Every structure is written in C-alpha cells, then in structure tokens.
Amino acid sequence: METDLRALARVREWYGPHSSTAMQWPLEALLPAKGTTTVSVVLPARDEESTVGDIVTVIRRDLVERTPLVDEIIVVDSNSTDATAVRAAAAGARVVAQGAVLPQLPPLTGKGEALWKGLAAARGDIIVFVDADLRNFGSHFVSGLLGPLLMNRNIQFVKAAYERPFIGEDGVARRGGGGRVTELVARPLLNMFWPELSGFAQPLGGEYAARREILEQVPFVTEYGVEFGLLVDLLHLVGLDAMAQVDLGSRTHSHQSVAALGRMAGQIMATAWSRLERQGRVLTSEPPSHSLLQFGLDGDAELVDVAVAERPPLASLVLEEDVA
C-alpha cells in the first residue's frame, strides 16, 4: 500500500505541470519557438480514402501555407486496396508505400510497422503521429502536440488526451463509450505494473509527438501494442518528467468490431508481458500462449494468433549499416 500511495503522489505531482490544452499553445507563440527545428507529420493509413485527404488538406492549409509550422506531411500507405494513396497525394502529402521503405528488411505487418517505416522515411527533428481515420480533425491536433516540445527543451514526448465518444449505428455520439480496450485492458495493466503512467488519459491514442532522437532509440511493436510499448519504453528511457500530455478536445473515428477489439487486447497483453520479461519482473518456465479462441454469433470458433513482432530501435539499424 505504501508503494501504491507513493506512485499516486508521483502522478499527482507530474499531472499539473505536464498537462495542458491545445488552446494554451497558440500558433503565434509556437512559430518563433520553432526556429530551425523541422517538423514531420506522419499518418499511417490503410484503406482510409474517406478521411485521409481531408486531414492532409487541413494540415497543409493551416500549418504549412498559413503558418509554416510543419515541414513535411507523410502518409505511409499500409497496403491499401482503395484510393488512400491517390487521395493523400492529391491533398499534398508525400506518400510512401510501407514496403518501399527499407525494402532490404523482411516485410512485417501492422500499425506499428507503418509507424516505424514512417519514422525511417521522415526527415524532421520532431515527429508527430496522427491516425488517418479521424472524422473531426482540426489542425490543433498537431499544433497542440507540438506546443510542449517547442516551448520546453526538456520535454521529449507528448501524448494526446481527449474525449472519445462512441458513435453507434444510428449515428449518435455517446459520451464515454469510446476507448473500450483502453479502459478494460490498457489502464488496468498500467496501474498494476507501471503506475507512473496512470496519469495518461489516452495511453492507446494514435496522436502523439516526440523528438526523433528518442524515437530512434526504442523498438516498435509492429501490431496494435505499439502505443502501449512506446509509453513503457520511453518511461524507462527518458523518465516521466520528460513526458507530457495535451487535451485536444474530442476525437471521433471509426470503431472496430468486438472481435477485432479482442485481438487488439491480446496484442496489448502480449506487449505488456514482453516488457515485464525484459525488465526482469516476471519469470516463467515457458512463454505464454499467443493463441486466442474467439466465438462468432453463430457459434463458430476461430483460433487467431495475437503474437506481436518488433522492429529494433532505428538507431541500432543505422549503426549496423555504418559499421558494415
């Protein structure tokens, strides 16, 4: 109990100075602070033709043309079968095919793979990641995340916070219904094993920014455990005081089926387990199972694999190439 109370006190001490809102970071203050720092916005996208073009258009209009805060917009096309790449390019993004980045490496799948390839393709000193399925995107999603990084050199990583309403089949948004995997899996795991991170409102959210030099020092889980793994690994690398969060308001996006959420939950649990092993906090005679038996509405069963692969820290890859 004493350890729990110390962790809670630590989170309370961190929360106030390290939490802000997007409105606290106006463009007129950020632009002078940017100086020669370069900024890349990276959007991983798979079959997001209905939303990716609008997102890129807003970033280009508000943060490239009107206020030159962003230096490049990259869309990583993650094997889309629709017009994602065409819409993104037409809106002004530099589109890179996931498989065309570091093609000498064996191909892997998943969101984390697209993020890692986006980091490799980007040129900016600061990388801002934004999901490509957002329906209510505003440029403050990017400028808000940049605020703490541009105004405080001690901040290394910034995570978005927001309300995530659930939009039902009737099209009605219901407050507090989104982020089901966050509340049922990620938050309990963080509170149990990494309570210092419990102050992050949206640990699995896809909007965050960081300095390139620290992103290149951590591995990327290639599947949906990527955000969980980054939080835990960056806590170990830079410490809680170098991390911050910014409230962006409300975030609406497409929702996944319960079965898909179950697979996501399994990948997050596998990611958490790998970190516990790496940190020497669990010992086991055999690895946990990566199989998940799921049942459909008709009673049919399907065995799915929720194992997660990892890409190594990008800096280690560069070093190996330099040595070679």
Side-chain angles (χ1 to χ4, degrees):
M1 175 64 74
E2 184 179 352
T3 301
D4 293 343
L5 291 176
R6 282 202 302 267
L8 180 59
R10 180 73 182 93
V11 171
R12 286 176 174 170
E13 176 187 333
W14 168 85
Y15 189 90
H18 294 81
S19 299
S20 59
T21 68
M23 293 181 61
Q24 292 176 247
W25 309 107
L27 295 180
E28 56 268 25
L30 297 184
L31 191 57
K34 179 180 187 293
T36 59
T37 302
T38 53
V39 174
S40 299
V41 178
V42 175
L43 293 87
R46 182 176 185 179
D47 295 335
E48 302 294 356
E49 64 178 8
S50 64
T51 52
V52 68
D54 292 338
I55 296 172
V56 171
T57 295
V58 171
I59 299 172
R60 177 180 51 77
R61 181 194 65 208
D62 293 351
L63 302 179
V64 176
E65 297 173 353
R66 294 179 180 173
T67 304
L69 200 64
V70 169
D71 297 278
E72 66 174 351
I73 308 168
I74 297 176
V75 170
V76 182
D77 182 18
S78 185
N79 306 312
S80 296
T81 58
D82 65 2
T84 290
V86 174
R87 299 280 174 83
R94 176 162 70 96
V95 179
V96 297
Q98 180 174 300
V101 181
L102 301 174
Q104 70 274 21
L105 300 177
L108 295 175
T109 61
K111 180 185 180 183
E113 171 77 346
L115 294 172
W116 190 76
K117 291 293 186 70
L119 173 62
R123 308 183 186 102
D125 302 316
I126 293 177
I127 310 297
V128 183
F129 290 118
V130 176
D131 279 350
D133 65 343
L134 302 184
R135 299 178 181 176
N136 66 329
F137 179 81
S139 58
H140 67 284
F141 275 48
V142 173
S143 60
L145 291 171
L146 287 172
L149 290 163
L150 292 177
M151 303 296 286
N152 185 346
R153 291 297 303 177
N154 293 324
I155 297 298
Q156 303 293 315
F157 173 83
V158 181
K159 187 83 175 179
Y162 30 60
E163 181 184 357
R164 298 177 71 177
F166 180 81
I167 302 177
E169 295 182 359
D170 55 5
V172 177
R174 294 171 174 83
R175 294 188 63 183
R180 289 165 287 176
V181 176
T182 293
E183 299 304 325
L184 298 176
V185 180
R187 198 176 307 287
L189 282 171
L190 290 176
N191 277 268
M192 280 192 289
F193 299 111
W194 299 278
E196 306 97 316
L197 296 171
S198 62
F200 283 96
Q202 297 293 344
L204 301 184
E207 287 67 52
Y208 43 98
R211 303 190 192 279
R212 164 188 287 280
E213 58 189 341
I214 65 125
L215 288 175
E216 291 183 341
Q217 296 180 55
V218 291
F220 277 56
V221 172
T222 59
E223 301 293 342
Y224 277 108
V226 59
E227 277 86 18
F228 191 98
L230 284 175
L231 266 185
V232 172
D233 292 342
L234 288 172
L235 174 67
H236 178 72
L237 178 66
V238 302
L240 187 62
D241 284 335
M243 307 169 79
Q245 66 179 337
V246 176
D247 190 339
L248 304 181
S250 178
R251 177 192 194 267
T252 58
H253 64 113
S254 57
H255 297 290
Q256 304 211 40
S257 67
V258 172
L261 294 178
R263 294 189 290 273
M264 186 186 302
Q267 292 170 351
I268 291 166
M269 293 178 72
T271 301
W273 183 269
S274 70
R275 269 61 193 164
L276 290 170
E277 281 191 314
R278 198 168 297 168
Q279 295 175 5
R281 301 175 66 180
V282 294
L283 296 174
T284 179
S285 58
E286 58 185 60
S289 171
H290 290 144
S291 296
L292 176 64
L293 187 63
Q294 294 187 304
F295 293 89
L297 295 177
D298 55 3
D300 291 341
E302 179 184 10
L303 190 65
V304 296
D305 185 3
V306 294
V308 294
E310 281 191 12
R311 286 297 193 186
L314 195 60
S316 69
L317 192 66
V318 173
L319 288 174
E320 289 175 5
E321 292 179 348
D322 289 344
V323 171

